[in-house]
């Protein structure tokens, strides 16, 4: 069944000029981009996106990082889009991410891991309106 997922190219990806190559990988996998916006993430958005991590040791540095420069927020559609994107992104820690995955090929460290992808359909439905309120 066709579904949607939220993908955010994090500030390190934008700074390093990786956006085109990363978006190309998602297109090559057969996904269709339905929304794209370059923006500076505000505190309401980062707090909502990472609410599940509030209170963890890395929470403050995670927010500082997400606010460190512009991101590219995107929404993608396709059969099994959520799981497909997670597979293309690879493990959270780039040191453990398989070669051929986005984090395996481009990621430098767990706290600069290039890209975010929704971890479930439910997460996608929660995350998309944080960045694209009113998207059809
Ligand atoms: N142990 C850790 N130390 C430092 N940063 C961490 C750690 N665990 C997670 N993070 C950071 O918090 C983000 C969110 O963690 P989460 O467990 O949701 O991983 P993820 O789902 O693979 O990543 P994301 O939600 O960004 O797609 C990670 O992408 C990473 O940048
Ligand atoms: Mg996550």
């Amino acid at each position: 069944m066709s579904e949607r997922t939220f993908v955010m190219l994090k500030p390190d990806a934008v700074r390093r000029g990786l956006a085109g190559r990363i978006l190309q990988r998602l297109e090559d996998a057969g996904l269709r981009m339905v929304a794209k916006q370059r923006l500076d993430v505000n505190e309401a958005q980062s707090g909502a996106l990472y609410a599940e991590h509030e209170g963890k040791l890395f929470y403050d540095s995670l927010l500082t990082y997400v606010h460190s420069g512009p991101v590219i927020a995107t929404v993608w559609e396709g059969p099994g889009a959520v799981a497909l994107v997670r597979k293309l992104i690879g493990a959270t820690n780039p040191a453990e991410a398989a070669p051929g995955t986005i984090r395996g090929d481009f990621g430098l460290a767990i706290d600069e891991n290039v890209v975010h992808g929704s971890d479930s359909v439910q997460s996608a439905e929660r995350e998309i309106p944080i960045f694209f309120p009113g998207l059809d």
Side-chain angles (χ1 to χ4, degrees):
M1 203 187 89
S2 192
E3 62 190 27
R4 285 182 173 183
T5 190
F6 175 66
V7 178
M8 185 177 79
L9 309 189
K10 296 179 178 181
D12 57 321
V14 176
R15 264 196 295 276
R16 293 168 61 205
L18 301 174
R21 276 181 284 169
I22 294 170
L23 298 177
Q24 187 66 53
R25 287 185 180 212
L26 303 185
E27 276 172 21
D28 288 347
L31 293 161
R32 189 173 73 88
M33 191 164 62
V34 297
K36 178 182 174 193
Q37 188 195 359
R38 183 182 156 109
L39 75 153
D40 292 302
V41 176
N42 65 39
E43 288 187 13
Q45 289 168 324
S46 56
L49 180 65
Y50 285 126
E52 65 177 303
H53 299 300
E54 198 176 347
K56 292 185 185 169
L57 280 176
F58 60 81
Y59 181 73
D60 288 349
S61 57
L62 176 59
L63 291 202
T64 301
Y65 159 59
V66 168
H67 295 151
S68 68
V71 304
I72 297 176
T74 58
V75 177
W76 295 80
E77 193 169 77
V82 171
L84 175 56
V85 164
R86 293 287 288 193
K87 199 166 102 181
L88 294 170
I89 288 178
T92 304
N93 188 347
E96 290 162 11
T101 64
I102 293 168
R103 286 172 176 159
D105 292 347
F106 299 121
L108 297 175
I110 191 164
D111 52 2
E112 294 216 355
N113 62 3
V114 179
V115 63
H116 161 84
S118 307
D119 62 12
S120 66
V121 172
Q122 199 183 10
S123 295
E125 287 172 351
R126 192 183 69 79
E127 293 168 0
I128 290 168
I130 297 172
F131 293 88
F132 299 98
L135 182 69
D136 278 344

